[in-house]
Amino acid sequence: MATVSFNPTRIRTTSTFKHRNSISILTSPAKPTRIPCIIPSNNTRTHPKLRHFRPNSVSESSLSTQEEEGVLDDLEEDDPTVELSYLDPETEPQSITEWELDFCSRPILDVRGKKVWELLVCNNSLALQYTKYFPNNVINSITLKDAIVTICEELGAPLPEKIRFFRSQMQTIITKACKELGITPIPSKRCLSLLLWLEERYETVYSRHPGFQKGSKPLLALDNPFPMELPENLFGERWAFVQLPYSAVREEVSSLEKSFVFGAGLDLDLLGIEIDDKTLIPGLAVASSRAKPLAGWMNGLEVSSIEVDTARACLILSVGISTRYIYATYKKTSVTTTEAGAWEAAKKSCGGLHFLAIQEDLESEDCVGFWLLLDLPPPPV
């Protein structure tokens, strides 16, 4: 059986923030308190990388001898046109209830000189993987609906309950296909397995394809709209830049499944994020006397990332696939600019890893809501 996983990448972190309590505060919203900190000098963005995927179909997974598998590896490694249909035989098909899906053109031309489209499907653990190329003249909801049914038939898996996708331009087609099959479509940039897989395929598959067009720009680039005013129901009363040791972050993620806390975690092992347990992970804490309703509203937004805009002296909250809110503001001074920049630099040095915590009080050690976030660059296709 082929091993399908992300490549564990050591993410080195430079942090000089001083840890104070379980969640330590870096700044407060009204008068940011100066915390001695240094922006890491190496701002090169690092993020998880995928190990090369070996195309493997259901029938291929039954090969037992090393010799047969070796021949198959050689053939498939040399052929970037091979399509993938794989379900981990150790995974119960009924346990896969959510898919991540991309249906878009690739930087590859067919014999007509037209861009090839590809359907890419996986679940968040990559136990299910499927790819199929399509000519550009059959791109519609009917084609997609039929393809979804075909995937289930080929892999012996049930229709998923939910399908996440991250391209706003494909929302109409994907939504229509899903609804006709009784599947809930979820526009979300929390398709991290899919996004990282796309990056890996660009390097190991698309760029080696005979029809590859170097320098070709993505047909459907990700939206990055101007941030809007935050809806009233999402307002907190106080906020602060905070930090948690990586070990505590893992505990918070584990507790999400055992408690009634709102939020969402990430499969850190799958993403191959290797950080020392004592490394401080940057985050944002929001306090409110109505913390539970606030966390409940936030829970339905598919929160993807928080970023600092030092030019506008504000924090931007990204949710869904194309919605950005001005989540918090601060008085712009040299001190606050430095501290906000240091928070953003700390996030980048952690490979984009950060978190959002909603609490009843900023001094509390308990969270009503906790979202682990990973800020990734847009895919190359």
Side-chain angles (χ1 to χ4, degrees):
M1 186 187 79
T3 300
V4 184
S5 64
F6 291 109
N7 182 27
T9 302
R10 170 69 64 179
I11 300 177
R12 290 181 291 274
T13 307
T14 302
S15 177
T16 57
F17 297 131
K18 293 182 178 178
H19 175 60
R20 300 199 308 245
N21 304 319
S22 177
I23 294 185
S24 59
I25 301 175
L26 296 184
T27 69
S28 62
K31 290 186 177 181
T33 304
R34 185 173 181 81
I35 302 294
C37 59
I38 301 174
I39 299 177
S41 59
N42 182 8
N43 288 334
T44 302
R45 188 181 195 98
T46 58
H47 50 275
K49 292 283 189 179
L50 280 170
R51 185 178 300 140
H52 181 63
F53 286 88
R54 181 176 73 81
N56 188 356
S57 70
V58 174
S59 61
E60 291 164 357
S61 65
S62 64
L63 295 177
S64 58
T65 68
Q66 290 184 352
E67 182 179 354
E68 288 173 319
E69 290 181 347
V71 172
L72 186 62
D73 278 340
D74 292 340
L75 288 174
E76 290 172 337
E77 285 286 341
D78 293 335
D79 187 1
T81 65
V82 170
E83 293 175 331
L84 178 63
S85 180
Y86 173 80
L87 179 64
D88 185 347
E90 296 183 0
T91 299
E92 183 66 33
Q94 285 72 24
S95 68
I96 301 177
T97 59
E98 298 184 9
W99 291 3
E100 298 177 7
L101 180 151
D102 185 39
F103 195 27
C104 189
S105 69
R106 303 300 184 225
I108 299 170
L109 298 185
D110 60 19
V111 293
R112 302 171 301 139
K114 303 295 183 181
K115 274 193 173 183
V116 171
W117 281 61
E118 182 188 45
L119 174 63
L120 197 64
V121 173
C122 67
N123 71 322
N124 64 354
S125 70
L126 300 174
L128 182 151
Q129 300 167 49
Y130 187 92
T131 70
K132 186 173 180 60
Y133 292 120
F134 291 89
N136 71 333
N137 56 0
V138 298
I139 307 305
N140 53 52
S141 62
I142 296 174
T143 296
L144 180 57
K145 182 183 73 172
D146 292 344
I148 292 173
V149 172
T150 298
I151 293 172
C152 295
E153 291 174 348
E154 285 188 13
L155 299 179
L159 286 172
E161 297 174 5
K162 302 176 182 178
I163 289 182
R164 282 182 170 79
F165 62 95
F166 63 88
R167 295 190 200 271
S168 61
Q169 301 92 335
M170 295 301 293
Q171 186 160 358
T172 300
I173 288 177
I174 294 174
T175 298
K176 186 175 181 182
C178 285
K179 289 190 173 179
E180 289 183 5
L181 292 171
I183 301 169
T184 301
I186 302 179
S188 173
K189 287 182 180 177
R190 290 187 69 89
C191 303
L192 300 180
S193 296
L194 182 66
L195 290 167
L196 289 168
W197 190 15
L198 272 172
E199 183 174 334
E200 186 271 347
R201 282 182 66 78
Y202 182 86
E203 297 174 358
T204 63
V205 178
Y206 308 144
S207 62
R208 295 176 54 245
H209 195 284
F212 177 66
Q213 297 296 296
K214 186 176 181 180
S216 178
K217 294 183 179 180
L219 176 65
L220 304 179
L222 297 193
D223 291 334
N224 193 38
F226 192 80
M228 303 182 296
E229 184 178 340
L230 190 69
E232 242 181 80
N233 60 317
L234 298 181
F235 272 105
E237 293 160 13
R238 296 180 63 204
W239 67 267
F241 285 132
V242 296
Q243 55 194 352
L244 270 178
Y246 185 60
S247 58
V249 169
R250 295 182 73 99
E251 288 176 12
E252 288 289 347
V253 172
S254 297
S255 70
L256 288 174
E257 300 176 359
K258 304 172 186 176
S259 64
F260 296 101
V261 174
F262 293 107
L266 299 173
D267 191 328
L268 299 174
D269 293 328
L270 174 68
L271 294 173
I273 296 177
E274 292 186 354
I275 300 177
D276 184 88
D277 282 347
K278 296 180 181 179
T279 297
L280 298 176
I281 307 301
L284 186 74
V286 176
S288 173
S289 57
R290 43 185 284 279
K292 287 186 178 179
L294 175 59
W297 279 105
M298 193 71 71
N299 207 46
L301 293 181
E302 292 291 313
V303 181
S304 60
S305 68
I306 297 170
E307 62 184 288
V308 172
D309 185 336
T310 53
R312 297 188 181 92
C314 67
L315 305 182
I316 308 298
L317 175 72
S318 293
V319 303
I321 52 177
S322 58
T323 302
R324 301 170 77 227
Y325 293 122
I326 299 176
Y327 194 47
T329 59
Y330 56 89
K331 185 177 180 180
K332 189 174 183 179
T333 67
S334 60
V335 172
T336 58
T337 298
T338 297
E339 291 170 347
W343 184 88
E344 184 67 28
K347 183 183 74 173
K348 290 180 179 178
S349 69
C350 289
L353 193 66
H354 58 300
F355 64 87
L356 169 65
I358 293 181
Q359 302 172 283
E360 293 179 348
D361 187 275
L362 288 181
E363 302 302 324
S364 172
E365 294 188 1
D366 297 320
C367 298
V368 176
F370 188 90
W371 288 262
L372 188 56
L373 311 173
L374 187 63
D375 191 0
L376 290 176
V381 294

